[in-house]
Amino acid sequence: MNRSTNRPPVASRPTGTNAPQAVPRPPAAPAPAAAAPATTAPSAPALRASALSALTTTVALLVLVTLGRASGVLLLIAPLAATAMIVCGSPALPPAQPRGVLLGQGVSAMAGLTAGALLGRSLWVAALAAGLSAGLMGLLRAVHAPAAATAVLVVVQHPAPVRFLPPLVLGSVLIVLVGAAASRLGAIGRYPARWW
């Protein structure tokens, strides 16, 4: 007697070439590598590039001295010397661009004049003015480190705004123009990367 059962049929094992292949496992994740050691010093620039940067910075500052002597107005101040070095030595950096130079110097001078007028002349106020100028430059996307020194200078020396602001703006414009001319002559890298 043939009994039929309700059991499902048993699958037979495949044989031959139709047998399922072993599924390859994904490779294990590599162990995290140790952090690369930081370099101790940047590579030295070429002698020619350094010499041209120094020459261009000197020319920019001599232009300020010459025009200052001719007009009887002091154009060469310490923060503008630092500005000239940034423009002529690192022309591609954001702080060297005309927006940073012009807006940064102008805003910082105004911060120094305002802080000095409201709070008086002291090193505490000078520090406050420099910090305020750094914040304003950040908001305006015009960060220019030498301009913070301009804020300090204005508080400490307390110049008359009418006698200080026009020469500061003129000196800043002249440095930008010398940088642009030097770039066209091939003395420094491309400058400006953007005008504003």
Side-chain angles (χ1 to χ4, degrees):
M1 172 170 77
N2 190 1
R3 288 186 177 174
S4 67
T5 60
N6 289 335
R7 288 189 213 165
V10 177
S12 62
R13 286 189 171 181
T15 57
T17 58
N18 291 336
Q21 301 294 320
V23 177
R25 290 185 179 182
T39 56
T40 55
S43 60
L47 180 61
R48 180 178 185 275
S50 293
L52 286 173
S53 170
L55 177 64
T56 307
T57 301
T58 305
V59 167
L61 298 177
L62 289 174
V63 166
L64 296 184
V65 171
T66 303
L67 292 177
R69 291 274 180 150
S71 64
V73 175
L74 178 64
L75 293 177
L76 178 60
I77 60 172
L80 289 184
T83 294
M85 184 195 167
I86 289 175
V87 167
C88 300
S90 304
L93 292 181
Q97 303 314 307
R99 178 185 183 94
V101 172
L102 301 175
L103 265 182
Q105 290 288 4
V107 163
S108 296
M110 293 304 295
L113 289 167
T114 304
L118 294 176
L119 304 171
R121 291 172 35 185
S122 75
L123 293 179
W124 301 102
V125 176
L128 180 65
L132 176 63
S133 72
L136 291 171
M137 286 187 282
L139 286 174
L140 294 171
R141 295 177 295 108
V143 175
H144 184 67
T150 300
V152 171
L153 182 75
V154 167
V155 171
V156 172
Q157 294 188 350
H158 199 61
V162 176
R163 294 192 57 168
F164 182 77
L165 289 174
L168 176 69
V169 171
L170 178 59
S172 299
V173 168
L174 288 171
I175 289 171
V176 167
L177 293 177
V178 169
S183 177
R184 286 187 178 249
L185 294 172
I188 62 173
R190 181 174 174 250
Y191 182 79
R194 60 185 179 283
W195 279 99
W196 203 252

